[in-house]
Amino acid sequence: MPVVSLKNLVKNPLSVLSDVSSAKSEIDFQPETFDAHVMTTYGRFPVALTRGEGCRVWDSEGLEYLDFVAGIATCTLGHAHPAMIDAVTQQIKKLHHVSNLYYIPEQGALAQWLVEHSCADKVFFCNSGAEANEGAIKLARKYAHTQLNIADPVIITANASFHGRTLATITATGQPKYQKNFNPLVPGFHYVPYNDIQALEAAIAQLNAEQPRVAAILLEPLQGEGGVNPGQADYFQRIRQICDEQKILLILDEVQVGMGRTGKLWGYENLGIEPDVFTLAKGLGGGVPIGATLTKQHCDVLRPGDHASTFGGNPFVCGVALSVCQTLAQQTLVANAQARGEQLRAGLATLVSKYDDLVEQVRGWGLINGLVLTSDQAIDIVRAAMSEGLLLVPAGPRVVRFVPPLVVSAAEIDAAVDKLDRVLSQIAD
Ligand SMILES: *Cc1c(COP(=O)(O)O)cnc(C)c1O
C-alpha cells in the first residue's frame, strides 16, 4: 500500500495526489510501525478497530466486538449512525471552520439547545473535557476576584476524582498517580473525601478561618474514572445549601455523565439540585471533539479577552453535536438509557450472586455502570471479555465499567451479560 510522505510531495506532487486517494481507502496497519512513530502515552490493547455500526465494531482482522466502551462514554449514537453521517456530510460541504472572529450560527443553535434543555443560561465551547474544566476553573477564579473580593481563591475537589490531564486539571484531580513527576502543580486546590459532608464542612471552615478563600466546589455527580461511584443526593443537597449561604460556586463535572448517559439528560438531575456551572465533553458530539462550559447568569463573568479557543465551537463540531442532541431527543434515547441500564444492572446482579468470590457489587445510573470486583482483576476481566468479543473498560484496578452507546438494544444487553457470564465462569475455574 503506497504511503504519503513529505519526500514524495517534494519529488513529485502529482504522484502524491493519487497516493492520497488510495491511502484514504485503506491504511496498512502494523503495530511495530505504529509504536515506532507514536509516543507511548497509552497502554493499548493489541487490536486495531477499523469499522463500526451501531453497538458493533470490527478489528483489522475482521473480528466482531460488542462495544460497551463507546470510545469511553463518547459515542452517544454508536457508530455510523445515519443522523451523524448526514450531519457530518452536510456540514463539511457547507462550511467547516472559520473563527470566533465571526458569528457562527451552528454554535448559537447548539448553545440554545443546551440552554433550553438545562439549568444553564450561557455556554462557552472548547474541544475537550479538560479544557471545559479549565474554563470553569478560570470562571470561578475571576468570579472570586471580581465578585467576592478574594485575592487567593481555593477550589475544593474530591479524592478519587478525575477532571482531565492539563496542569490545572491534574491538580484538580484528587489522585496522586496523575500528578506524579509533573510538579510544580497549580496552586489553589484542596481535596476532601467524596460523599462525606462533615469532611467538606470542616475543610471550608478551616480554609475560611481568617478570611473567605473558598471560591468553588468542583465535583462529579458520579465519579467515573474513580470507580463508577454515584454521588449521594443528601450530600449534594447539603452542598447546594452551603454554597448558597456562603456564595461559593458549585461546579459539576458532567464530562462523562452528561448527555443522557445516566438515564436523565444531566447527571445533576439524579441529585435533585442545580449547579451554578457545569462542564460537558465526551457524549456531546457523539465522537467529534467538542467540550463546553455552561454557566448560570449570576456567575457569567468571562468577557472578551478573558478566554478563547481557535477550534472551539466551530461550524463542523457544532453542526454535528446539534444533530446528536436532536437525535437524542427524537429517538427518546435518555429513556432507553434508563430502561437498558435497569436491564443491565439486573443481569449483572445475577452474576454477582453466581460468582460471589469474584464479584462484589454492581452500581451505577442509567448506562454508566460498574462491576465491583473482590480483588484488583479489572484488567484481566477486560482482556478475557475482549477474547469473547465484548469491549469493556476498567475504572480503576477493581471496577469494570459498562458505558455502551445510548442506542443499545435489549438483545445487545442480554448478549453482553451472556458473554460476561462465560468470562467469569472461565476465571472462576
Ligand atoms: C474524560 C473526563 C475528563 C477529561 O476529558 P478529556 O476530553 O479527556 O480532556 C474530565 N472529567 C471527567 C469526569 C471525565 O470523565
Side-chain angles (χ1 to χ4, degrees), residues 72 127-131 133 162-165 169 220 222 224-225 253-257 279 281-282 290 401:
I72 312 189
N127 315 287
S128 67
E131 253 186 291
N133 288 330
F162 184 80
H163 300 296
R165 300 294 201 133
T169 57
E220 293 157 88
L222 168 155
E225 301 301 308
D253 179 343
E254 297 243 0
V255 167
Q256 190 156 166
V257 298
T279 56
K282 290 190 167 82
I290 182 169
R401 181 171 20 169

Side-chain angles (χ1 to χ4, degrees), residues 289-310:
I290 182 169
T293 308
L294 298 92
T295 183
K296 289 200 176 189
Q297 197 71 50
H298 73 96
C299 45
D300 174 27
V301 292
L302 296 175
R303 294 291 167 266
D306 283 341
H307 199 48
S309 165
T310 296

